[in-house]
Amino acid sequence: MLKHNFSAGPCILPQEVFKKAAAAVLNFNDLSILEISHRSKDFVEVMEKAQNLALEHLDLTDKGYKALFLGGGASMQFLMVAYNLLESKAAYLNTGTWSTKAIKEAKLFGDVIEVASSKDQNFNYIPKGYTVPSDVDYFHFQTNNTIFGTQLKDDPTVSVPMVCDMSSDIFSRKRDFSKYDLIYAGAQKNMGPAGTTLIVVKEDILGKVSRSIPSMLDYQVHISKDSMFNTPPVFPIYVSMLTMEWLKDNGGIEWIEKINNEKAALVYDEIDRNELFEGFVANKEDRSMMNLTFNLVNEDHKDTFNKMWQEAGINGLNGHRSVGGYRASMYNALTLESAQTLVDVMKELERKA
Amino acid sequence: MLKHNFSAGPCILPQEVFKKAAAAVLNFNDLSILEISHRSKDFVEVMEKAQNLALEHLDLTDKGYKALFLGGGASMQFLMVAYNLLESKAAYLNTGTWSTKAIKEAKLFGDVIEVASSKDQNFNYIPKGYTVPSDVDYFHFQTNNTIFGTQLKDDPTVSVPMVCDMSSDIFSRKRDFSKYDLIYAGAQKNMGPAGTTLIVVKEDILGKVSRSIPSMLDYQVHISKDSMFNTPPVFPIYVSMLTMEWLKDNGGIEWIEKINNEKAALVYDEIDRNELFEGFVANKEDRSMMNLTFNLVNEDHKDTFNKMWQEAGINGLNGHRSVGGYRASMYNALTLESAQTLVDVMKELERKA
């Protein structure tokens, strides 16, 4: 490891994945992975493996779901979801920047009911106690809010199809994924490099809107071609497959969830203990296990702290401009050792201050 | 070089690009290129360099054009072009499978006038002598047809905005690119690995349609954010930059065009000379310099020929199912030596037959 990479995304992946990916760029069955045809037997196998691994990790194999790996980023799903599912109205929970963007795109296709929002407090909490109407086409929300460091930990129970953006916490903790009808996630957090998006969709919710859908935006078209309607982003999918294999070989989500909890406990405990720092999120139960947002109580320590963590080999700790302060993104591949390094620097600051 | 890769795309890239790409996966300024933030100084530089190189190669710097690198593949451009530019009707030239697909998507947004088509002869020629009406929103065509092996070599002169899919021959030969108002190209031929698409657009043609455009499909949104509206496909863009650098360092399009002509002459001469083979394309002036389609005159030689080229280390020579026979895709990075290897095998078959 060259640096302790706390970047919010694109972000750290397992070191062995980097090694395998680099090797495949040089030689993947006598060609570079970058020059093989997406129709070749070798890549068709990669694609199938990636799709199967995604369903397996989510415990959704043989339950009526299809896994797709498409190009275009999770932001493309904001409009694809609406294009494919929004006939008259949909319900959205607003927990931050990405929810707001998803709502904006959906409004081009129908009415949007914002069931609740935490905008009143700069999204520093997860709204609760809201009601999702039973006559909407679907309910959409984000499980984890990368920017604000909040996370919706329960799986809501609603009477309509449930659509969820899990970009920044997929494969990081157990959920009852079978409660969801459509899950999507940009690869560049716990799954792979930037450039592909996983969509896991229950087939029976599709084909119900009356509008014409452009082929590239139509989930049914992509399903009918097994994510090969057009040339897929070969390398990002290959590296995603490697990362999902790494997760499986080590014990799956159950294994990584324990480590993620340990890492988060380590850093949150220090945020709470060390009087120089304060957490950004209002309620402890809403704190993200992936993106830990915190501030210096006294800005006078800023330069010293910044110098210290940079000297310790830490990368990507600056908070998003909407929040300020610091954000420790601790995705699956970040080690306990890196989390400990951050805690050590925080303690060291306390000694110096 | 491990194989002579004649694959139609994704396809061969320069060997030194593979080496640099693999090195960057392991270490790119103390991180892996796969884990760096797209907002980092290092990647912002890559993106700017890629955009500048694209404009430079096309001789479009400071001429009112913007270069974008988006995810989603050239197929996404079939609908984005229509979404952004089609107010009432557009003219399309139909030269093959991809034109047909582009036309299909455009029809969702307005009227399409097919100015000419070579479908009557399985697209084995480029239609000429057609008229593009002066009252359409734009004229759309493909310069090169990967599947059928035809290429439109001139740059048409029309009185409306000219939109062109150059996916399979961009950066391979000089053109008067300033005659075009929007050029797009999937990376996975002469530019880079699969996963990003270059769009070069003259800004003054945008903003004229009355419909609402979803953000991710709106060229103006992507221009306003310098291709960073959402997380871009970092690695495919990085490798595209490396490939465009390789082209520039070696002498640019002028340099590669000479080599491409040499390679194509070598193989087409053999197709014409060797009585065991015949070209697929009806007129010699329509023959693609990128994808050379040909057949065995006598199918009895099929097994022998297939065995021979495979033993010679040639990969990806089988024709597309719509055409059959063989297709030698000879993109920029394919060496003269590989072209000679194919010719040697064709001559050897003649001696054996």
Side-chain angles (χ1 to χ4, degrees), chain A residues 183-214:
Chain A
I183 294 164
Y184 62 92
Q188 67 270 16
K189 315 285 185 184
N190 285 323
M191 193 163 61
T196 188
T197 297
L198 168 67
I199 297 109
V200 174
V201 56
K202 208 166 185 176
E203 278 197 274
D204 64 13
I205 67 164
L206 300 174
K208 295 183 177 170
V209 290
S210 54
R211 73 175 63 82
S212 300
I213 307 172

Side-chain angles (χ1 to χ4, degrees), chain B residues 91-112:
Chain B
Y92 278 71
L93 178 65
N94 191 353
T95 56
T97 306
W98 301 106
S99 308
T100 307
K101 289 191 179 207
I103 290 167
K104 185 186 167 204
E105 301 307 320
K107 281 182 175 167
L108 295 175
F109 299 89
D111 291 333
V112 170

